Amino acid sequence: MKLTRRLWLHGALVPALATLGALVVAGQLFRVDLERALDRALLAQAAVESVSLFDGPGQKVHLHMAVSPLVEQVRPFAPQGYLYQADGQLVMRYPPVPEGAPEEPPRVPDSRDGEPVLVTEVSADGNRWREVMVNVRSPHGERYGLRLLASLGQVDRSVDSYFRLAFSMAAVMGVVLLGVQTTLARRMARRLEAITLNLGKLREGDLASPMEVDAGKDEIGQLSAALAEATARVRGAREAQERLVADAAHELRTPLALMRTSMDLALRRERSPDELRASLRDARAEVDRLAVLADTLLDMASAGRGSWDRKKGDLREVVSQAVEGARAEAERRGMLVHLEAPALAEAWFDAGSLRQAVDNLLSNALKFSPEGGEIHVRLSLEGERYRVAVTDAGPGIPVSEREAVFAPFHRVAGAEGRPGAGLGLAIVREVARRHGGQAYVDPAWGQGARVVLELPSAPRAEG
């Protein structure tokens, strides 16, 4: 079933039918309430008449409604009154018997005194009447029967008027609901069609076309915005992957070209053993370079995979181990590595990837620090995040490249002759992102470079 029909059914037809059913039930309850009110009025009138039947001159029996000064005003809705003797003969009635009307049949009063009997009768013309019969005794002990009748026509007319008005309002409400649901259904269908179109583009792998974002603030708008954001992230990831592949191919091409050139020269003419040995050494150096590049690419790939073992641990222990591992190389170059950290730094992290990121920060600092310099590593809690800041005494990172250094294979000016594939800081940023943190170059630092890795202290969902 399409959305428009579903909204018509659940938003217009079902509410209209439910309202109609409720109105029918309410109408029946309204009828019952009116009939009960009529019964109370009849019983009240019977109570008044029964105690005053014999208060006339000489205790002559009479009906008060027949002698009321308001008789003409109340005649259209006043009840009819009948008084019977013990043998059932009619003594008097109100209103008087019209000429040509049939005689009222005798009605013998019940032997019980003071207990009214309420019944509903249907006349020959189809009108309904509500009747109350009360037994009354005169001061002389004679038994009489007082009968009052009130037409239920007024009740029926009131209920019929209620149903006409209620059904008319229900019909109008149904039409209004149908129009509102039709408008909403068409609008919602257009919004969902736009999302479906965007999903179709994604299914076909089209990430270049702009996504139409729904401006609504409801769930559909949120879904559209989330889809557009996810598409932008996928597009960015694919572009980053394409750049990584292109950069990796470029990095691989250089050592392969050098190896092929060395081998071609060795095979072009007869070479002495020393010359062949030199060619092999050059080829071996390029093989080592390729191996380092392959290992770094594998590290980059593993940093982006989701198979991490995040546990609650002490960040100080991981950072201390990385610092101890870097001190051997630092001492060889006459450098010092200082660590400043709290006694305990509990957080949720993957120890392996985090150790790799800190190792890369230290390796980068050792690479650019002069001999005899110092490297400072500081672990601190800033708000709800832990910061691992590694500071060196090298030439620093130009402002224009402080963001680009985290891109794969990017190298700052003057680093061409230094070892490495240009993936260290890219891995650091990926590890930080996967932990829900960030990696950046501290813009407020002066001499040298200060690279910061931030991690949340509380557990976060994987990015």
Side-chain angles (χ1 to χ4, degrees):
M1 184 182 295
K2 288 189 175 181
L3 178 63
T4 304
R5 294 181 180 177
R6 186 178 295 113
L7 288 177
W8 281 345
L9 176 62
H10 298 291
L13 182 59
V14 171
L17 292 178
T19 302
L20 186 62
L23 291 175
V24 170
V25 174
Q28 297 303 322
L29 295 176
F30 181 50
R31 180 190 297 278
V32 171
D33 189 65
L34 289 178
E35 290 180 353
R36 287 178 178 175
L38 182 62
D39 288 347
R40 290 191 293 269
L42 279 175
L43 289 173
Q45 183 68 31
V48 172
E49 293 288 351
S50 62
V51 298
S52 58
L53 282 174
F54 309 102
D55 61 356
Q59 296 183 341
K60 184 179 179 180
V61 66
H62 66 285
L63 291 173
H64 281 70
M65 66 178 70
V67 296
S68 173
L70 301 177
V71 63
E72 294 302 326
Q73 286 81 357
V74 300
R75 187 185 299 277
F77 54 86
Q80 297 181 10
Y82 299 85
L83 188 63
Y84 300 92
Q85 291 180 341
D87 58 0
Q89 294 300 316
L90 180 65
V91 178
M92 63 178 60
R93 63 163 289 179
Y94 170 82
V97 180
E99 294 184 4
E103 291 288 336
E104 178 69 22
R107 289 179 179 265
V108 178
D110 198 295
S111 59
R112 294 172 298 176
D113 292 338
E115 295 184 11
V117 178
L118 287 165
V119 294
T120 301
E121 294 185 352
V122 180
S123 62
D125 56 2
N127 293 325
R128 297 190 313 130
W129 295 82
R130 191 64 170 166
E131 173 186 308
V132 59
M133 190 77 174
V134 181
N135 296 323
V136 184
R137 287 189 179 273
S138 69
H140 303 291
E142 297 173 336
R143 189 156 50 90
Y144 289 88
L146 177 62
R147 177 170 169 249
L148 299 179
L149 283 86
S151 174
L152 290 172
Q154 183 65 31
V155 173
D156 294 337
R157 287 190 293 272
S158 297
V159 174
D160 291 343
S161 176
Y162 162 81
F163 277 125
R164 285 194 300 271
L165 181 61
F167 289 164
S168 299
M169 294 181 65
V172 171
M173 185 181 69
V175 172
V176 172
L177 283 176
L178 183 62
V180 171
Q181 294 300 324
T182 300
T183 303
L184 291 177
R186 290 176 178 174
R187 185 181 303 169
M188 191 175 297
R190 287 195 298 269
R191 297 170 68 188
L192 292 177
E193 285 174 2
I195 295 178
T196 303
L197 179 61
N198 291 340
L199 288 175
K201 293 179 180 178
L202 292 180
R203 188 186 304 114
E204 296 172 0
D206 182 9
L207 298 176
S209 300
M211 293 290 176
E212 181 179 352
V213 180
D214 194 299
K217 302 299 182 182
D218 55 3
E219 288 80 358
I220 296 180
Q222 294 173 2
L223 175 62
S224 177
L227 178 61
E229 182 181 358
T231 303
R233 289 188 178 184
V234 172
R235 184 189 302 115
R238 189 173 74 172
E239 292 174 354
Q241 183 183 32
E242 291 174 351
R243 287 195 303 270
L244 179 63
V245 171
D247 293 341
H250 175 75
E251 292 292 327
L252 291 171
R253 185 182 297 116
T254 300
L256 289 174
L258 292 174
M259 291 172 62
R260 183 174 59 187
T261 301
S262 178
M263 291 178 183
D264 288 343
L265 291 175
L267 295 173
R268 183 170 299 175
R269 59 181 178 81
E270 290 294 332
R271 297 283 181 175
S272 64
D274 292 337
E275 291 175 330
L276 291 176
R277 196 175 291 112
S279 297
L280 290 175
R281 279 196 297 268
D282 293 339
R284 172 58 187 271
E286 298 303 325
V287 169
D288 291 340
R289 182 179 172 185
L290 288 174
V292 171
L293 180 59
D295 291 339
T296 310
L297 288 173
L298 288 175
D299 292 339
M300 184 73 180
S302 64
R305 288 199 298 266
S307 56
W308 285 11
D309 184 19
R310 295 189 183 184
K311 296 180 180 179
K312 187 176 182 180
D314 187 2
L315 280 176
R316 175 189 172 89
E317 182 179 351
V318 176
V319 175
S320 298
Q321 291 174 356
V323 169
E324 290 300 324
R327 276 178 174 156
E329 175 65 18
E331 291 176 358
R332 187 184 66 82
R333 299 177 55 186
M335 301 171 60
L336 295 177
V337 181
H338 302 281
L339 173 62
E340 178 185 352
L344 181 65
E346 289 188 341
W348 289 80
F349 56 90
D350 176 70
S353 62
L354 185 60
R355 170 64 187 273
Q356 180 185 11
V358 179
D359 285 342
N360 287 352
L361 290 177
L362 290 168
S363 176
N364 196 69
L366 288 170
K367 185 190 307 181
F368 290 95
S369 293
E371 292 188 5
E374 295 184 354
I375 296 174
H376 294 269
V377 180
R378 184 173 185 267
L379 172 62
S380 61
L381 179 62
E382 306 290 341
E384 296 183 354
R385 288 175 174 257
Y386 280 106
R387 301 180 68 207
V388 181
V390 178
T391 307
D392 61 53
I397 301 175
V399 176
S400 60
E401 297 190 54
R402 286 179 177 174
E403 182 63 25
V405 292
F406 294 98
F409 300 107
H410 180 85
R411 297 180 183 180
V412 296
E416 291 79 3
R418 301 179 186 271
L423 290 173
L425 292 182
I427 294 175
V428 171
R429 170 161 286 186
E430 181 64 21
V431 171
R433 185 190 68 83
R434 290 295 304 279
H435 280 86
Q438 59 180 339
Y440 58 91
V441 177
D442 190 346
W445 194 250
Q447 185 179 1
R450 187 178 198 181
V451 184
V452 180
L453 168 64
E454 284 191 357
L455 302 175
S457 57
R460 298 290 180 90
E462 290 189 3

